[in-house]
Amino acid sequence: MQSYTIGQAARLLGVSPDTARRWADAGRVATHRDEAGRRLIDGRDLAAFSVEVGQGAEDDEPYTSARNAFPGIVTAVKLGDVAAQVEIQAGPHRLVSLLTREAVEELGLEVGMQATARVKSTSVHIDRT
């Protein structure tokens, strides 16, 4: 399972590294240390926490880019026989994309993984990052 540094987690959550560090210090999200002593957050823990943070976000907080790319963390993958549903929490935004099961498997998408949702008109495309 992928783990994230405090800085990476902050970027995915759309907050400053200081805010992410304070949340970790307060026990809102669990951390562990790697062999170099850096604090890391397990991808599954970060995915669950990002959903919690996103649900409590204010509606007027902007989190967009000129190219309509929303970097975030995969919070859910639901596979059907042919189709799949992928949810990404990008800061305060929850994005849901319906795509083929084959595409999800080729990208190797799973909960806790970084991904970018790209929005064009009414379509959402997922890029593995």
Side-chain angles (χ1 to χ4, degrees):
M1 172 51 53
Q2 186 168 354
S3 292
Y4 298 90
T5 65
I6 295 288
Q8 291 170 324
R11 197 168 39 258
L12 292 169
L13 293 168
V15 299
S16 73
D18 286 338
T19 297
R21 199 171 293 110
R22 282 192 298 273
W23 286 342
D25 290 344
R28 289 189 62 192
V29 63
T31 63
H32 63 278
R33 296 208 182 257
D34 66 5
E35 53 280 346
R38 296 179 306 166
R39 287 175 37 173
L40 300 175
I41 302 170
D42 179 74
R44 289 193 182 274
D45 292 338
L46 183 58
F49 182 67
S50 70
V51 171
E52 176 188 325
V53 169
Q55 290 173 343
E58 297 292 323
D59 290 339
D60 60 355
E61 292 180 16
Y63 189 79
T64 62
S65 73
R67 297 185 318 177
N68 299 321
F70 296 84
I73 187 166
V74 176
T75 57
V77 176
K78 298 173 187 164
L79 297 174
D81 291 337
V82 177
Q85 178 179 314
V86 176
E87 294 182 24
I88 294 179
Q89 192 70 39
H93 304 290
R94 176 180 165 261
L95 296 112
V96 179
S97 179
L98 300 176
L99 56 164
T100 65
R101 178 186 182 118
E102 181 181 8
V104 171
E105 290 171 346
E106 284 179 9
L107 289 170
L109 295 174
E110 60 184 43
V111 172
M113 174 179 283
Q114 281 184 296
T116 300
R118 297 193 187 276
V119 179
K120 180 178 179 188
S121 186
T122 58
S123 298
V124 176
H125 304 267
I126 305 294
D127 297 339
R128 182 175 170 183
T129 51

